[in-house]
Amino acid sequence: MEAAAATLVGSSLHLHPPPSSSVTRSTHYSSLACSRSWNKRMVLESRRGIVVRALSSSDSTDPSDPIAPLRMESPTGQFLSQILISHPHLVPAAVEQQLKQLQTEWDTEQKKEELSASGTDLVLYRRIAEVKANERKRALEEILYALVVQKFMDADVSLVPAITPSSKNSSGQVDTWPSQEEKFEQLHSPEAYEMIQSHLALILGNRLNDSKSVAQISKLRVGQVYAASVMYGYFLKRVDERFQLEKTMKILPNGSDSEGSSIEKAVREDIRPAGDYLAVSSHPEVSSWSGGFGNRIKPSRLRTYLMSFDGDTLQRFAMIRSKEAVSIIEKQTEALFGRPEIVLTPQGTVDSSKDELIKISFGGLRKLVLEAITFGSFLWDGESFVDSRYHFVMN
């Protein structure tokens, strides 16, 4: 599962031509937002639509409003939902308790497997073990989600609610959310936030500083941008964590403290300027790390540090480490934007006739991208926390 997470925003829909004249199928935002290499390697199971609910935030006027768009459904998730509502500061301790239970169950099953009989009993046992493994996977996903939501609550940042027809105001505009940009900035290191601003410039282009204008944009496309930005945030946090450690230890590679590098300048010369949001988002070949640099994007210490990585290291850092994290990215995006339906023509192109258009301000798009990047950053933290207590990440 290799995601070129830093440049997923502009990648195309790599869908194969259908065998018949027309094919309608559901697909996932995370797959659509990914590069060609990601699409080749990542196979995701189909799932029914998820509508997730969570807690109310300080920005909500109604205490019954959900605090997150995804409703957690497993017993573990339901328990953590109640903790989030009543005592959010206790979520890490509650998670540790749930992880201990999962570890105990796992150890018990391993012992049973060693003592299990052969024949029919063994087949039955393996089926039961498979069901329990799926239950543990769901529990782990919702533990990760609870940790992410709790970090948003700690930061007093409200999550965007599900974008549905009922959420539209009289003008048809879907975004009425506070920007909270100052709060988002405090959640990232200065070097990482420079990279985030560059990411925003790549997506919004000439509309970067235009927060009030409203555009009618494909809901599917906005969902792709959100999923890609979550993966970019995950990748960015992973890189920044290493950067901050090496900076503290004073072992940064030569050139990482400078304002640019010859490599970066060469890359920048090959990339056209970022245009407006629609132009950038539909660009078919922004599918390598170098695509993250446009003429509008200034150098930064963290980017220069990143340019010192070899290809293998960069690919490793761009990987989402666990299936559970991939699933949460997908479910969060589906909870926000609904499950996309892709129709292919006989020529193999995407028929956009069923694609819903939404009215959203460029300020709203900016809020969505900032939230998505922060979601990815918190997902990295949550995954690392859980893996330190219940090893599930397959490196």
Side-chain angles (χ1 to χ4, degrees):
M1 294 186 298
E2 295 181 0
T7 54
L8 300 177
V9 173
S11 60
S12 58
L13 310 181
H14 301 296
L15 301 174
H16 299 290
S20 58
S21 61
S22 178
V23 176
T24 302
R25 70 178 182 184
S26 292
T27 187
H28 302 284
Y29 290 103
S30 53
S31 299
L32 291 174
C34 291
S35 65
R36 190 175 279 110
S37 62
W38 174 272
N39 284 328
K40 286 179 180 178
R41 297 170 186 266
M42 184 176 68
V43 180
L44 298 176
E45 60 181 356
S46 61
R47 59 172 65 82
R48 59 189 177 84
I50 303 293
V51 182
V52 179
R53 294 285 181 266
L55 330 172
S56 58
S57 70
S58 60
D59 294 302
S60 297
T61 57
D62 184 351
S64 65
D65 286 345
I67 58 167
L70 187 66
R71 180 174 60 237
M72 294 186 278
E73 298 178 341
S74 71
T76 297
Q78 295 271 328
F79 169 71
L80 293 175
S81 292
Q82 293 301 315
I83 299 296
L84 278 167
I85 293 170
S86 58
H87 301 92
H89 62 286
L90 296 179
V91 167
V95 163
E96 291 206 49
Q97 180 191 46
Q98 295 300 308
L99 291 174
K100 286 180 181 178
Q101 291 182 9
L102 288 178
Q103 187 65 59
T104 300
E105 291 174 9
W106 170 254
D107 292 342
T108 301
E109 285 188 27
Q110 291 298 102
K111 291 178 181 178
K112 285 182 179 179
E113 185 175 4
E114 295 172 0
L115 300 173
S116 61
S118 59
T120 305
D121 289 344
L122 180 58
V123 172
L124 180 60
Y125 167 76
R126 286 178 176 172
R127 177 55 184 157
I128 293 172
E130 182 182 339
V131 171
K132 289 185 176 180
N134 289 333
E135 291 174 351
R136 281 195 301 273
K137 180 178 181 296
R138 170 65 68 85
L140 282 171
E141 290 175 9
E142 297 189 350
I143 284 172
L144 289 176
Y145 193 74
L147 287 170
V148 170
V149 172
Q150 189 259 342
K151 287 179 77 71
F152 274 103
M153 295 181 72
D154 275 356
D156 194 28
V157 174
S158 58
L159 285 161
V160 170
I163 297 176
T164 61
S166 61
S167 69
K168 298 179 182 179
N169 60 25
S170 58
S171 68
Q173 186 176 333
V174 298
D175 60 300
T176 55
W177 326 301
S179 69
Q180 306 178 95
E181 189 155 344
E182 291 183 1
K183 294 179 181 178
F184 279 119
E185 183 173 359
Q186 294 171 5
L187 298 174
H188 305 276
S189 72
E191 294 87 355
Y193 202 69
E194 279 186 324
M195 296 279 284
I196 291 170
Q197 291 300 312
S198 296
H199 183 81
L200 285 166
L202 179 67
I203 294 171
L204 298 175
N206 297 328
R207 302 287 189 160
L208 180 62
N209 298 314
D210 180 0
S211 60
K212 295 184 179 179
S213 295
V214 176
Q216 197 169 39
I217 302 174
S218 158
K219 190 175 182 181
L220 172 63
R221 185 70 72 188
V222 177
Q224 288 178 261
V225 169
Y226 187 92
S229 296
V230 173
M231 289 183 276
Y232 178 70
Y234 179 100
F235 164 82
L236 186 60
K237 182 57 182 285
R238 189 174 189 177
V239 172
D240 187 49
E241 198 172 76
R242 172 167 158 172
F243 173 81
Q244 297 300 333
L245 176 62
E246 293 190 10
K247 185 175 75 169
T248 301
M249 298 176 68
K250 301 186 184 303
I251 57 172
L252 285 173
N254 291 334
S256 292
D257 290 321
S258 67
E259 282 300 307
S261 67
S262 58
I263 298 175
E264 182 177 355
K265 290 176 182 177
V267 171
R268 285 161 57 87
E269 290 174 359
D270 292 335
I271 305 299
R272 65 179 177 84
D276 61 20
Y277 164 78
L278 292 177
V280 173
S281 65
S282 60
H283 193 284
E285 290 300 335
V286 188
S287 57
S288 66
W289 169 243
S290 62
F293 306 117
N295 292 336
R296 295 166 53 86
I297 299 174
K298 66 179 182 179
S300 70
R301 294 177 64 193
L302 183 55
R303 182 179 291 108
T304 305
Y305 170 76
L306 191 55
M307 293 298 290
S308 70
F309 287 8
D310 59 48
D312 290 342
T313 302
L314 190 60
Q315 280 195 335
R316 178 169 57 84
F317 271 73
M319 241 169 77
I320 306 294
R321 298 183 301 170
S322 68
K323 294 179 181 179
E324 289 80 3
V326 171
S327 182
I328 281 300
I329 294 171
E330 185 176 86
K331 288 180 177 180
Q332 166 71 2
T333 309
E334 286 184 5
L336 275 172
F337 302 100
R339 191 182 186 84
E341 188 175 86
I342 302 301
V343 178
L344 300 180
T345 66
Q347 292 75 33
T349 59
V350 177
D351 181 358
S352 60
S353 60
K354 290 191 176 182
D355 190 7
E356 181 183 354
L357 298 178
I358 58 175
K359 289 183 179 179
I360 187 170
S361 70
F362 287 98
L365 282 172
R366 188 182 182 95
K367 163 68 188 294
L368 273 173
V369 172
L370 285 171
E371 175 189 299
I373 292 173
T374 305
F375 189 101
S377 176
F378 289 167
L379 184 59
W380 165 264
D381 289 337
E383 186 185 60
S384 301
F385 176 85
V386 172
D387 190 56
S388 68
R389 289 152 176 82
Y390 178 89
H391 183 66
F392 74 107
V393 170
M394 303 300 291
N395 291 314

